Each structure stands twice: as C-alpha cells, then as structure tokens.
Amino acid sequence: MPGVRLVRWAVLTVFLTGLAVPVCVAGHQAGRPAPAPGRPGGFLLGPAGHRGGGHGDVAGSYAPLSVLTAPTVGLLANATTAVGVPLSTAEGARYVSQSNVLRLPSGWWAYLPSARTASAVVPRNHPAAERQIARSRAWLAAGRIPGRTPEQRAAAERALLSMRALLQPNGAMAAGWSPAWRYSWPRDSGFASAAFSHTGHDAEAFRILRYSAATQRGDGTWEARTKLDGSGPPDGRRWQLDANGWVPWAAWQWYQAAPRDTRRARLMTLYPMIRKAADHAAGSLRPDGLPPASPDYWELMTTTANIGTAAPLLAGLNASADLAREAGRPGDAARWAGAAKRLSSGIAKGFAPSGYQRTVDGRHGRDSAVAFMAPPFNAAPADLPRALDSTYGALLLPNGGLTPGNDPTAPWGGSAWTPSTSFFALAWAGTGRPAKAERVLDWVLSKRNALGELPEKVDREGRPASIAPLGWTGAIIVLSLVALDGENALPTPPSQP
C-alpha cells in the first residue's frame, strides 16, 4: 500500500484487508483524549500535511489494517475507492454534512485523500478535505434528493453518498466494504443503477450498466458476483438466473430517466447485452411457462421454480420487449413479449393460488420476494395486495422487521434483514398504499446506525447488525422515496398485451 508505514509498537492484532484507518493522532487515539502523562499511547499517526507541535507526531503515517474483527459501520471515500470505518473509530463521530468526511469527537476530521488508499486525520477545515466536501455537495445538488420529511431526505442523502462511495470507476458496485461483501452482484448493482437514474445521476447509472455488459457471460448470464476489477468470480458460487431479469429491468429504468437527446444512441451500446440476457431468459422457460430452479437473492438452491427468480425474469422480459421497440427491433420485441406472456401465465397458475409463496411446489413457505410482483418491477396482479399483507404478517419478527422467508430450513435466525423489509415499502408505495409504505420506511430509517448508515440486518434487540452501509438497502430506500413522491414517479415496464 503506497505511502503506508507502521509506527511505534509495530504489532497489529487487528487487520483489515486493503484498508487503512487512523488509529492515533498527535500521540492519542483519533477522537479520544490523550493518555495520561507517563502512560503509553497507541500508534502515532500524523495528519497528512501537518507537523506536530512537540507532541511526537509522525507526519504522514497510517496504520494498515487487513482483517476485520467487526464489520464496517461507515465509509470514507474519494473519487476512486473507499475505506471502511470500524466501530472503534466511529464512536462519537459524525459525518460532516453531505459528505464522506468524518468529524471526530476531538474536532479533527478523518477523510480519504484523493488518489490514496489510506485515510488521513487532519485539522478541521483542512483545504483538501473541504474540497472533497464541496464536491460531494455539488454532486448531490446536481440531482434530486427524494423524501417528504427532513429525516427521509437526510436518509436519502446518506444512502446516495454511500452508493457513490461503493461505486468503482469501472462501474463495479460493491455490495458493502467489509471483505465478504466487497464484490459486485448484478442484482444489487441493478437496484443502484435504477436509484441513480431516478435521482438525476445518469453517469453513475450508465456506468453500472456498462460494467454489467462487460461482465456478462457468453451465454447471456452472469456470475453470482464478480471481483471489483471485473476479472471474474471470487469462488465457485453457483450463478443465479434472476440477474437476467434484474439487469434488463435496470436498463429500462435508466432509459426512462436518461436525457432524451442521447439515450437512444447509448441504448444501442447496451442492446447486445439486453438481447443475450432476454434470449437466455426466454429460452430457459419450461413448457409450463416457468423458469428452472435456480438460486435467487437468498443464494440458496431450490428444487423447483421460485418466485424470487420468476418475478424478476418477468420484469426483465417486459423491459427487454419495450427496449427492443425503442431500438427498432420488432422481431426481438415480439419474441420477448411472447415469452413474457407465457411466464406471466405460468406465474398465475403456479404461484398465485398459494399467495406467491417461495416455490411453485408450495413446500417452502412465504418469501419477501412476493414484492417483486409489484411495481416498479411488474404491474400488480389483482390478488397481490392480499398476498403482500399475508406475507408481511407471516414474516414479521418481534423486533419489527422481516425475515426473508419463513421456510424452517433456511438459516435466517432471529435477525431482520433490511432489504427484505424495505421491499414492502417499495411494493406498497407502488400499489397506492402510501401509509403502509411510510410505516415500513419509518422502521427501517429508525435502525440506521449513529453515522446514519443503513445496516444489512437488525438483531433481536432492535440494534443495527452486520455491515453498514449495505448498498442494496440504500437503493431500495431511495427508490421507495421516489415512488412516494407522486403518481407515476417511478415507472414500471409495461405488461405485454
């Protein structure tokens, strides 16, 4: 790691791969009081560009950490990368408004300097950190911040900044910034692209789609996740067919919001990806109109078709057919529209009678993916409101959030998952039930951590758990707030006649 060196007691018991965060400043731990005279301090880290006044500072020194003992709770970021903020650094700290610069309890600032991979601690109002704050604020101002209340708008700001921090220059979108999450999933990326699209951040949305095009496999499918450099999957995890729905859906959402003078030309650069994805999705449908069994967002295999794959594929085929018409490809449009109608019929016959439970055989209980049958993914069937209500009730935990599903064989435990809970805010916003959507949003937003970041989970006691921020949850919350802004604020791919 360039420019990184250890100082004083060069023994680290906690390491964080690829990251570096300040441990001490001017002879004491960042944001904490100095040790009493005669007592040892920790690692001495001097702020970049700052020379100490007799406190034993070591200018420009950083502590590299390479293995997490706890998940990240926030992010520092520059234009090219990010570093995670551990709980020990975040305690008592707050972000400077509308930025990823952290104000420590001492009054000093922690930030990630431009073109660096190690964080620095600097005096308040440090010029380089001020410039970074100004750029973040200008980026937010260039788009829209959805939300009806100050709390909602603050949550949207933080979610957008966190997604921007997780987005890499090549378009890879990290799910989170702890090691096990630091990969790009097509599903999470598609949601982020849609959220960027509908908040006026066209460049970021399109960059994600270009990355999806670059990492598509030859048969039109995607790996479950890829390394952030696009070099391929990190392991042998089974690929997931739902990506063939999520990526075209995201492209359709981008197209609806993109500047009209350039969107068609840019659509044509994405069209080969859409064609391969939609052709594979259409070709995968069985005689009953349903797709084969595949892992979905649970990342668990099922033995029969699941709603978490079927519903996204329906959204993707409808989206692809509409994009084909925009691209002047009537043959493609007709082929994919026909496949969408077959799939829609298969879902109506196979899933609707059980209330859109997890699997077509009805043996695996309720699934929060029922929300994927609602806008902005699919036009809601007439029986969907009852299915949403019954599924929500079945999955509700004592802490107020939802488990992804109630299959007793699934490894969910007693923690609520913020993506699954947030699905219902989005679904109810899209089906004209704003009061129900607002109640879900209120709960999710109340579980942000002290930095305002949205966590992946909420434990039995109602505390934020696992990593924060989770980009997927941030995107769902932003889309929900957009959907609540007014009728047709968040469009849905048209169903095929």
Side-chain angles (χ1 to χ4, degrees):
M1 191 176 298
V4 177
R5 53 194 175 96
L6 290 174
V7 293
R8 198 171 178 185
W9 301 307
V11 178
L12 287 175
T13 57
V14 182
F15 291 89
L16 174 62
T17 303
L19 308 185
V21 294
V23 178
C24 300
V25 179
H28 63 279
Q29 190 172 1
R32 298 181 183 273
R39 295 185 60 186
F43 293 96
L44 299 177
L45 300 186
H50 172 73
R51 297 186 63 84
H55 295 287
D57 292 18
V58 182
S61 299
Y62 302 85
L65 307 175
S66 59
V67 175
L68 266 183
T69 58
T72 59
V73 297
L75 294 172
L76 308 180
N78 56 31
T80 56
T81 192
V83 298
V85 177
L87 182 61
S88 58
T89 299
E91 186 177 349
R94 294 293 184 272
Y95 287 116
V96 176
S97 175
Q98 297 188 316
S99 80
N100 281 93
V101 173
L102 201 62
R103 180 185 293 112
L104 302 170
S106 63
W108 289 49
W109 287 356
Y111 85 114
L112 185 60
S114 178
R116 297 291 294 271
T117 57
S119 58
V121 175
V122 295
R124 181 177 178 177
N125 301 324
H126 186 276
E130 286 274 24
R131 287 193 294 272
Q132 189 179 101
I133 294 167
R135 286 192 292 270
S136 292
R137 291 173 176 172
W139 181 80
L140 286 170
R144 62 180 285 208
I145 300 170
R148 300 180 179 183
T149 68
E151 182 185 26
Q152 289 177 351
R153 290 176 59 81
E157 283 181 356
R158 179 49 44 200
L160 285 166
L161 288 171
S162 295
M163 288 191 292
R164 183 184 184 224
L166 293 169
L167 179 59
Q168 305 303 292
N170 66 351
M173 180 78 189
W177 209 255
S178 292
W181 288 261
R182 208 179 306 151
Y183 303 106
S184 184
W185 276 259
R187 178 188 315 110
D188 302 44
S189 298
F191 276 74
S193 176
F196 282 135
S197 295
H198 289 290
T199 53
H201 301 293
D202 175 83
E204 288 77 8
F206 191 66
R207 194 192 318 166
I208 291 172
L209 295 172
R210 292 295 300 270
Y211 180 84
S212 294
T215 53
Q216 188 178 36
R217 303 195 304 185
D219 65 354
T221 64
W222 281 268
E223 297 288 352
R225 56 183 185 165
T226 61
K227 299 175 185 177
L228 295 184
D229 63 3
S231 61
D235 52 30
R237 183 174 304 199
R238 188 189 292 261
W239 67 278
Q240 296 155 19
L241 182 57
D242 63 335
N244 284 61
W246 292 128
V247 176
W249 170 81
W252 187 89
Q253 292 290 348
W254 161 78
Y255 190 79
Q256 305 313 301
R260 292 185 176 272
D261 59 337
T262 63
R263 67 177 186 170
R264 191 178 186 280
R266 289 190 290 158
L267 170 62
M268 300 314 295
T269 69
L270 298 175
Y271 197 77
M273 171 189 75
I274 294 164
R275 184 177 60 244
K276 289 192 294 183
D279 276 344
H280 188 98
S284 75
L285 301 183
R286 305 176 313 190
D288 63 0
L290 294 176
S294 169
D296 62 354
Y297 80 102
W298 287 25
E299 303 204 298
L300 296 174
M301 188 62 185
T302 59
T303 56
T304 59
N306 57 64
I307 193 65
T309 299
L313 288 186
L314 179 59
L317 284 167
N318 281 326
S320 298
D322 198 49
L323 289 172
R325 286 188 283 268
E326 292 290 327
R329 301 290 192 272
D332 288 347
R335 185 168 68 257
W336 301 333
K341 285 189 285 187
R342 288 199 295 125
L343 176 53
S344 181
S345 177
I347 290 172
K349 293 176 182 177
F351 286 99
S354 68
Y356 304 94
Q357 291 195 24
R358 173 160 175 72
T359 54
V360 73
D361 61 12
R363 297 179 180 177
H364 296 280
R366 299 284 181 170
D367 188 335
S368 60
V370 64
F372 301 159
M373 288 300 298
F377 312 113
N378 292 293
D383 57 354
L384 188 66
R386 174 183 288 185
L388 288 171
D389 289 347
S390 60
T391 302
Y392 184 85
L395 303 186
L396 187 63
L397 297 174
N399 66 10
L402 300 189
T403 183
N406 62 359
D407 184 341
T409 66
W412 302 127
S415 290
W417 289 66
T418 59
S420 290
T421 307
S422 302
F423 292 160
F424 284 81
L426 186 54
W428 279 327
T431 53
R433 304 169 82 182
K436 295 177 78 71
E438 293 271 8
R439 284 195 291 273
V440 175
L441 280 172
D442 287 345
W443 184 86
V444 176
L445 299 190
S446 75
K447 302 308 177 183
R448 289 175 293 158
N449 66 20
L451 295 181
E453 301 282 17
L454 290 158
E456 181 183 52
K457 302 178 192 176
V458 176
D459 69 15
R460 294 174 185 268
E461 288 71 39
R463 300 170 301 198
S466 189
I467 67 157
L470 186 73
W472 193 18
T473 300
I476 300 166
I477 292 299
V478 168
L479 290 170
S480 299
L481 292 172
V482 170
L484 287 168
D485 273 354
E487 189 176 356
N488 300 320
L490 190 58
T492 301
S495 298
Q496 304 309 310

